[in-house]
Amino acid sequence: MKVVTPARALLRPLLTLAAAVAAVAVPASVAAVGPAGAGTTAAGTTRSVAAPVVNVLPDGVPRVPAPGGVPRVAAATSVSAIAEALRRGPVYVDPAASAQLPPADAAALTRRIKDAGKPLFIVVLPANYPTRNLFTELRTATGITGAYAVRVGDRFDARADSSVLPRTAVSNLVTSVQGESGRTQLTDFTDRALANMGGRAPSTWGGTGHGGTVSNTALITAGAVLVAGGVGAYALVRRGRSRQEAEQRAALEKLRVVVDEDITAFGEELDRLDFHPAEVGADDAMRADYERALDAYEQAKQYMADARRPEDVRAVTQALEDGRFSLAQLAARREGRPLPERRPPCFFDPRHGPSVTDATWTPPGGSPRQVPVCAADQARLADGRDPHVREVDTDGGRRPYWDAGPAYGPWAGGYFGGGLLPGLLVGTLLGSMMATPSYAAGYGTGYGDFGAYQGGDLSGADFDPDDFSGGFGDGGGGDFGGGGGDFGGGF
């Protein structure tokens, strides 16, 4: 059997790429358009360029291509016309609202969203545009799973399919940009949403937002540079990988202390429960709850013993979260209370157990958002006192876990899975780190991947109307008249 060394494995695709690049032939008819409207062919001659073609949308409204590939509709715009434009690109600006987002800024947003590859849609409409049931109708007309942000005059709101961005996250993101000017608001929302949402861009958008043509010479030169730098790149990759592994080992050791505390605390909860499967009054449901809690305890210990990278810790805290919910169910059955709703654990310290409600919390220097809280912390906040926050050791002393560094991403992700965590952490140190490319590159997808997201898929009218309900209002924090993160109702 032929053995391929790592260096040979790296160079082989580079050589293949160079050969493919050299074989690319750019047709002479594809040329850059000069300032006078003439095209320059590969032979250096010029040719005339026809005036832009005006396409007609399905409802008969003419669509004029705009700079940067941002679709614009040239007449009073129907929802179906906006939807058709959004199927072609992520940003739509009504001609009557162009002052809110000039063409250059719209083109920049388009490139940013396409390059991120996320199903985010931005719509800018004039102040007098009807908003009743706008989100629901827009989502139905596009038929694409994603997040939809709409600015109508000086009002702004957003809705999203919960599989792409949870309702709480939508509400928090909208609240964080309320009161900003049109361009700043849309840019800030886009940046924050792209950092927090999941899913993928629809295939109908085509490639990335970078336009323009590339010459044969440029392509061949790029291929040659890739091949020439192959060996050097391999050496750099090896050094970078060794450094990354050392950083991961150090991060894991920091996490080990915190996770061991969590496992110990859960074991103590099991002891305090003092439940015996054969005790008087115990039934099969109680015994099943207790067995699940015991299994979760053993799984957490085993997962931590097997952990080799920081992202492996997510499985540990996820098991602990499952176990605590089983204990909450068992306690309710023994006391004859209604079974608790499945909710995330207390945001301030997951050891407090499942949350009972959501409360408003504002991190230092951040914006208000709704976070899940236990009954004790709910009472403290209502009395104007500080909640009991989980603090961990850092080089600068004890800090809340959301200000302690990137290693705590997977730890928190196991507790707050399903896409909830990014919205909770907007504006915190950990939230900011998770939004940077180096975060995922340095520690793997286990840091930023908090749920099985879907998005960009053509679902047609088959979506949860609760995700798009509510009214379109002003400053409602994701609730334009109610709904908060919902594609129903109106603006």
Side-chain angles (χ1 to χ4, degrees):
M1 181 178 64
K2 185 177 181 180
V3 178
V4 181
T5 64
R8 187 181 302 275
L10 177 65
L11 289 175
R12 178 173 294 171
L14 293 173
L15 291 170
T16 303
L17 175 61
V21 168
V24 173
V26 180
S29 59
V30 178
V33 178
T40 303
T41 68
T45 60
T46 60
R47 59 177 176 82
S48 61
V49 178
V53 177
V54 176
N55 297 323
V56 178
L57 296 176
D59 60 355
V61 178
R63 182 176 63 82
V64 182
V70 181
R72 291 176 179 273
V73 177
T77 314
S78 66
V79 170
S80 61
I82 297 172
E84 175 65 20
L86 293 178
R87 282 193 288 269
R88 298 172 182 268
V91 178
Y92 169 76
V93 180
D94 190 278
S98 59
Q100 294 276 358
L101 191 67
D105 297 317
L109 276 187
T110 296
R111 289 193 298 270
R112 192 170 307 178
I113 296 170
K114 282 189 173 184
D115 289 346
K118 300 293 182 66
L120 175 63
F121 301 88
I122 304 294
V123 178
V124 182
L125 301 170
N128 60 353
Y129 197 93
T131 59
R132 182 176 178 80
N133 296 323
L134 178 57
F135 280 114
T136 301
E137 294 176 3
L138 187 60
R139 171 64 175 83
T140 302
T142 59
I144 300 175
T145 304
Y148 295 72
V150 183
R151 183 176 172 95
V152 178
D154 60 358
R155 297 179 296 159
F156 176 78
D157 204 355
R159 303 288 189 271
D161 289 274
S162 57
S163 60
V164 169
L165 196 61
R167 183 176 301 185
T168 300
V170 175
S171 177
N172 292 335
L173 289 169
V174 172
T175 300
S176 72
V177 299
Q178 289 296 353
E180 296 181 353
S181 64
R183 181 178 67 177
T184 302
Q185 184 180 65
L186 294 170
T187 300
D188 287 349
F189 180 85
T190 296
D191 289 343
R192 295 170 190 176
L194 291 176
N196 289 291
M197 66 185 293
R200 58 181 178 274
S203 59
T204 54
W205 286 357
T208 67
H210 296 297
T213 58
V214 183
S215 68
N216 282 345
T217 301
L219 290 173
I220 295 171
T221 301
V225 169
L226 284 173
V227 173
V231 176
Y234 173 66
L236 290 174
V237 166
R238 288 201 62 179
R239 285 199 296 270
R241 184 177 299 143
S242 297
R243 183 172 59 252
Q244 176 183 325
E245 290 173 351
E247 291 174 351
Q248 286 189 332
R249 286 193 297 271
L252 179 60
E253 291 311 307
K254 288 183 178 180
L255 274 176
R256 194 179 301 278
V257 175
V258 176
V259 175
D260 285 346
E261 291 175 353
D262 287 3
I263 294 174
T264 299
F266 183 60
E268 292 171 350
E269 289 180 50
L270 285 169
D271 290 339
R272 286 195 299 270
L273 184 66
D274 194 27
F275 173 77
H276 301 285
E279 70 181 29
V280 176
D283 57 23
D284 288 344
M286 294 181 190
R287 285 186 281 271
D289 290 334
Y290 186 64
E291 184 176 354
R292 282 193 295 269
L294 289 176
D295 288 344
Y297 179 58
E298 295 302 326
Q299 286 174 351
K301 291 191 294 183
Q302 187 60 52
Y303 289 153
M304 195 62 227
D306 295 340
R308 295 296 178 266
R309 301 174 302 169
E311 50 266 37
D312 295 338
V313 169
R314 180 180 176 182
V316 182
T317 51
Q318 188 171 19
L320 293 174
E321 194 274 330
D322 289 338
R324 283 196 170 92
F325 179 69
S326 295
L327 288 187
Q329 286 186 304
L330 175 56
R333 295 186 202 277
R334 296 179 80 188
E335 297 167 15
R337 295 183 285 106
L339 293 179
E341 174 190 1
R342 183 65 186 259
R343 290 181 53 85
C346 179
F347 172 75
F348 299 110
D349 189 343
R351 294 176 301 180
H352 294 169
S355 60
V356 297
T357 188
D358 291 335
T360 301
W361 172 70
T362 305
S367 58
R369 76 284 313 273
Q370 295 289 305
V371 297
V373 296
C374 63
D377 280 333
Q378 178 191 23
R380 293 186 187 95
L381 291 171
D383 293 339
R385 295 178 292 154
D386 292 332
H388 285 173
V389 174
R390 178 68 181 275
E391 293 185 340
V392 297
D393 288 324
T394 70
D395 293 339
R398 300 282 290 180
R399 302 285 299 171
Y401 71 84
W402 55 78
D403 283 336
Y408 293 92
W411 175 85
Y415 283 126
F416 305 97
L420 177 64
L421 184 62
L424 299 178
L425 293 176
V426 170
T428 66
L429 176 62
L430 180 55
S432 299
M433 287 180 174
M434 288 166 53
T436 62
S438 60
Y439 182 76
Y443 295 96
T445 57
Y447 277 77
D449 178 14
F450 296 100
Y453 293 106
Q454 299 295 325
D457 299 319
L458 295 175
S459 69
D462 183 15
F463 63 92
D464 186 350
D466 287 341
D467 286 338
F468 291 81
S469 61
F472 194 107
D474 49 355
D479 180 8
F480 279 87
D486 195 343
F487 278 91
F491 264 83

